Amino acid sequence: MRRRIFSAAATTVVLGLLIPLAGCGSSGGSADDSGTLRLVAAEYGDNPATSSKAFWDKVTADFTASNPGIKVHVELLPWADIDREVSRMVKAGNAPDMALMGGYSDFAAQGKLYSAPELLSVTAEANFLQPLSDAGSVRNTLYGLPFVASSRLLFYNEKLLTDAGVIPKDSKNGWQPKTWLDLKAAATALKAKGVKTPLAMPLGPEEAHAEAMIWELSNGGGYADSSGNYSLASDQNIATFKWIKQHLVDTGLLGPTPPSQLNRADAFAAFTRGEVGMLNGYPQLAHEARAKGITVGAVAMPVSDMLGSGEVPPNVGVADWMMAFKQNGHRDEIGKFLEFVYRDKNLADFAGRYHLLPSTVSASRTLAGSSGMDKNDQQFLNALRGAQLYPVNDPSWVVISDTIKRNIGRAVDPSGDPKAVLEEIASKANDARKGR
């Protein structure tokens, strides 16, 4: 996956950043120097002006000033490459001391990582937001330290919905859909008004697993059951995609591009051009759309009309993970650096730069009390507190998520069979788990 939490930069742009960024934050040292820690981190910026280099330069310089015997060398890699490159480093016996990326469980399963109790104080470990801490734990031990996170809400273009009569012109409360039928009614009105894509549903291979999970959760389903076992072809999930196919695809409410061929980046770009009435998104998209003059509303995903009265399904949450490798034996030095990085000021600074959410309770309060978080970002923080994340603590999730991304869109193709597609995905997921 490219940038795990928000819009991916074009690969060519990010690759152009690699040469000047390699070694950033080294404070004059190289990764091979005695007393120098090596951190391989994902690049969150999409051009030199927004590069993560500035953050890491300052944090590593401040850390070394406080800990003169320890330098930190930071290497930034694009999201498209970092998982593969770190895996290659570990396999070659050249693991970094730390990595910041989208998954950790494979390394934890191999016994390659320090646990949080080996690195952090009890207070620091207890400070992580609970849903993130749960997702970062394997057998109740925290290995993936959540760094920044986000949640998903349903966005809508206020002008388009007002012009279509969905929102009364004198309304001060915006739009408050409760069920999927409310979504269908709004999409029908938008289509009648000539909106190109009333409701965008990106089930293309870029990030279909996120969109699918949003819809599944809102019908009482999801990827795993209460015992943690995969339930990809559950009755609820099959019913979800049958409903989407019948009520949204067959009625032409999802725009000219079939969901299985629509990628997130394209859907988001169309929203910022004012061509999409509604879609699921995260904070950065709202800021990008507003910068282009679009008035954006955000609400919790409406629930299925098939759910029981009063049921409130969780939102989808997404996080990026910091991990520490045992190979070089720098446990004490790594622990000192991570305690420093996870200070409220530093974590809130990084999250605020990219309109993301800090992973700790105290840093969230710090950002909320500053100018870095507006009321819309606060909505996402509130949603994150009760969110459900992908089963990232399962080592086979990387393979399973890729299977979902590349196949689940077929469930709503005109000739698709939701039950057959989901059962095929479930079978491949079981094979992946057995192969671990």
Side-chain angles (χ1 to χ4, degrees), residues 29-275:
S30 73
D32 296 324
D33 290 343
S34 176
T36 298
L37 298 176
R38 180 171 162 238
L39 166 64
V40 177
E43 169 59 85
Y44 284 71
D46 55 12
N47 60 63
T50 61
S51 171
S52 307
K53 180 181 187 299
F55 171 82
W56 291 115
D57 276 350
K58 184 175 189 311
V59 165
T60 54
D62 290 348
F63 172 74
T64 298
S66 301
N67 300 270
I70 311 172
K71 298 178 182 179
V72 183
H73 173 93
V74 181
E75 179 182 358
L76 298 180
L77 294 176
W79 278 110
D81 298 341
I82 190 165
D83 287 6
R84 180 182 66 252
E85 287 301 306
V86 172
S87 295
R88 181 188 59 77
M89 293 172 191
V90 173
K91 188 174 182 179
N94 186 33
D97 293 290
M98 296 163 286
L100 172 59
M101 49 195 279
Y104 71 90
S105 57
D106 193 27
F107 301 124
Q110 297 174 46
K112 303 285 188 183
L113 302 179
Y114 287 119
S115 66
E118 295 176 291
L119 300 167
L120 304 177
S121 66
V122 173
T123 302
E125 184 181 355
N127 195 25
F128 291 116
L129 292 166
Q130 191 63 49
L132 305 182
S133 180
D134 290 344
S137 298
V138 178
R139 293 183 293 277
N140 298 317
T141 299
L142 185 64
Y143 288 95
L145 310 183
F147 191 66
V148 285
S150 185
S151 56
R152 302 295 169 92
L153 294 173
L154 179 71
F155 288 2
Y156 61 89
N157 183 314
E158 287 190 9
K159 182 179 187 304
L160 293 182
L161 266 68
T162 301
D163 291 347
V166 177
I167 302 175
K169 291 187 181 295
D170 59 349
S171 173
K172 296 182 180 179
N173 298 319
W175 183 48
Q176 299 295 328
K178 301 300 182 185
T179 70
W180 288 357
L181 287 181
D182 293 334
L183 278 184
K184 180 181 178 181
T188 301
L190 289 165
K191 181 182 178 183
K193 199 67 176 177
V195 174
K196 185 175 181 180
T197 302
L199 172 63
M201 188 179 295
L203 291 175
E206 182 187 357
E207 204 193 28
H209 63 310
E211 184 71 16
M213 186 173 172
I214 291 169
W215 284 89
E216 290 173 356
L217 288 177
S218 64
N219 190 32
Y223 290 143
D225 60 24
S226 58
S227 300
N229 298 312
Y230 281 106
S231 55
L232 299 169
S234 67
D235 291 343
Q236 296 100 318
N237 291 350
I238 292 170
T240 293
F241 288 95
K242 283 183 175 179
W243 191 95
I244 292 171
K245 188 172 186 298
Q246 178 184 351
H247 291 271
L248 301 177
V249 176
D250 294 348
T251 53
L253 298 178
L254 301 184
T257 304
S260 62
Q261 299 174 30
L262 181 64
N263 279 320
R264 183 192 63 179
D266 296 329
F268 283 13
F271 186 77
T272 64
R273 294 194 300 268
E275 299 171 359

Side-chain angles (χ1 to χ4, degrees), residues 231-352:
S231 55
L232 299 169
S234 67
D235 291 343
Q236 296 100 318
N237 291 350
I238 292 170
T240 293
F241 288 95
K242 283 183 175 179
W243 191 95
I244 292 171
K245 188 172 186 298
Q246 178 184 351
H247 291 271
L248 301 177
V249 176
D250 294 348
T251 53
L253 298 178
L254 301 184
T257 304
S260 62
Q261 299 174 30
L262 181 64
N263 279 320
R264 183 192 63 179
D266 296 329
F268 283 13
F271 186 77
T272 64
R273 294 194 300 268
E275 299 171 359
V276 173
M278 303 170 286
L279 85 173
N280 290 301
Y282 41 60
Q284 181 72 5
L285 174 62
H287 288 273
E288 291 173 356
R290 292 187 187 108
K292 295 189 176 182
I294 294 174
T295 304
V296 182
V299 294
M301 177 67 181
V303 301
S304 162
D305 301 83
M306 296 176 277
L307 271 187
S309 176
E311 289 191 48
V312 181
N315 297 286
V316 169
V318 184
D320 296 332
W321 309 96
M322 182 76 78
M323 65 212 73
F325 291 89
K326 295 179 178 179
Q327 180 180 306
N328 302 316
H330 296 155
R331 189 185 75 174
D332 291 343
E333 294 86 350
I334 293 170
K336 288 181 180 179
F337 179 66
L338 292 179
E339 288 270 3
F340 187 87
V341 170
Y342 278 92
R343 288 181 181 177
D344 293 347
K345 180 180 180 299
N346 293 329
L347 199 56
D349 177 18
F350 189 91

Side-chain angles (χ1 to χ4, degrees), residues 376-418:
N376 298 289
D377 293 337
Q378 186 67 50
Q379 277 185 277
F380 287 91
L381 179 59
N382 294 338
L384 181 65
R385 291 191 175 106
Q388 183 171 318
L389 280 75
Y390 308 131
V392 292
N393 46 11
D394 177 6
S396 60
W397 171 244
V398 173
V399 175
I400 293 172
S401 63
D402 187 66
T403 299
I404 295 170
K405 285 189 290 185
R406 297 182 185 282
N407 292 281
I408 202 152
R410 295 190 289 111
V412 297
D413 280 345
S415 60
D417 179 342

